Amino acid sequence: MIDRSTPDLGDLFQDIILEHYKRPRNKGALEGATVDIRMNNPTCGDEVHLYLRVEDGVVRDVAFEGEGCSISQSSISMMTQILKGQPVAEGLRVGELFKDMMHGDPDAAKSKDLKDARALQGVSQFPTRVKCALLGWNAFEEAAKKG
């Protein structure tokens, strides 16, 4: 007999992903951005235009515009919440954790540093969707190199 008194973790993660897709955080252009970058995933058509306002090595503000599947867009929304107010180096470290999680690392998937992005851990089981989840993080990595 299945106990339904507590929600299934998979259902909870699905709800978090859909919440970020339907109500993305930090979506829109960012006035005063010090760096911005556009990236797309030509395989599926997902795209992101990531804006950062970096001062003294800290991501003071972050926003994005873009279109794509629920995985790419919710991942980017989650990422912006993680990055805002963090040193760029910390954002890059968390980005590496996220990449490790996407490649099946169970320890990375347990990291509380990933916050809501932990909900995407199941994507690692679908190699064609991993690129979708990594789109925003790859954009951040490139933006960090620019400035």
Side-chain angles (χ1 to χ4, degrees), residues 71-83:
I71 299 298
S72 72
Q73 300 303 293
S74 62
S75 179
I76 295 164
S77 172
M78 294 171 189
M79 179 193 76
T80 64
Q81 288 191 301
I82 292 169
L83 295 178

Side-chain angles (χ1 to χ4, degrees), residues 9 13 16 78 82 86 90-102 104-121 137:
L9 194 57
F13 283 173
I16 293 169
M78 294 171 189
I82 292 169
Q86 294 296 317
E90 176 64 7
L92 291 170
R93 184 191 70 79
V94 175
E96 285 302 313
L97 267 176
F98 186 79
K99 287 181 183 182
D100 290 346
M101 181 179 76
M102 286 295 99
D105 182 336
D107 292 328
K110 294 175 187 171
S111 174
K112 294 191 186 313
D113 292 341
L114 291 174
K115 301 180 182 178
D116 280 358
R118 291 170 58 199
L120 293 162
Q121 65 185 315
W137 293 95

Side-chain angles (χ1 to χ4, degrees), residues 21-102:
Y21 180 64
K22 291 178 181 177
R23 291 175 206 75
R25 284 37 163 209
N26 305 302
K27 189 159 187 180
L30 177 63
E31 292 294 322
T34 56
V35 63
D36 69 283
I37 190 159
R38 292 177 188 268
M39 287 192 112
N40 70 347
N41 180 352
T43 307
C44 64
D46 293 341
E47 57 185 49
V48 63
H49 187 172
L50 183 66
Y51 303 91
L52 300 170
R53 185 168 51 84
V54 177
E55 297 169 356
D56 300 323
V58 175
V59 178
R60 299 292 179 193
D61 207 355
V62 57
F64 76 99
E65 295 176 310
E67 295 193 18
C69 69
S70 61
I71 299 298
S72 72
Q73 300 303 293
S74 62
S75 179
I76 295 164
S77 172
M78 294 171 189
M79 179 193 76
T80 64
Q81 288 191 301
I82 292 169
L83 295 178
K84 194 178 280 193
Q86 294 296 317
V88 171
E90 176 64 7
L92 291 170
R93 184 191 70 79
V94 175
E96 285 302 313
L97 267 176
F98 186 79
K99 287 181 183 182
D100 290 346
M101 181 179 76
M102 286 295 99

Side-chain angles (χ1 to χ4, degrees), residues 4 6-17 118-119 121:
R4 291 290 179 195
T6 57
D8 178 27
L9 194 57
D11 291 343
L12 177 62
F13 283 173
Q14 186 68 21
D15 289 346
I16 293 169
I17 293 167
R118 291 170 58 199
Q121 65 185 315

Side-chain angles (χ1 to χ4, degrees), residues 120-142:
L120 293 162
Q121 65 185 315
V123 173
S124 67
Q125 298 171 15
F126 305 95
T128 59
R129 302 307 302 271
V130 168
K131 283 185 178 182
C132 301
L134 290 176
L135 180 63
W137 293 95
N138 290 337
F140 172 65
E141 192 174 291
E142 288 303 309

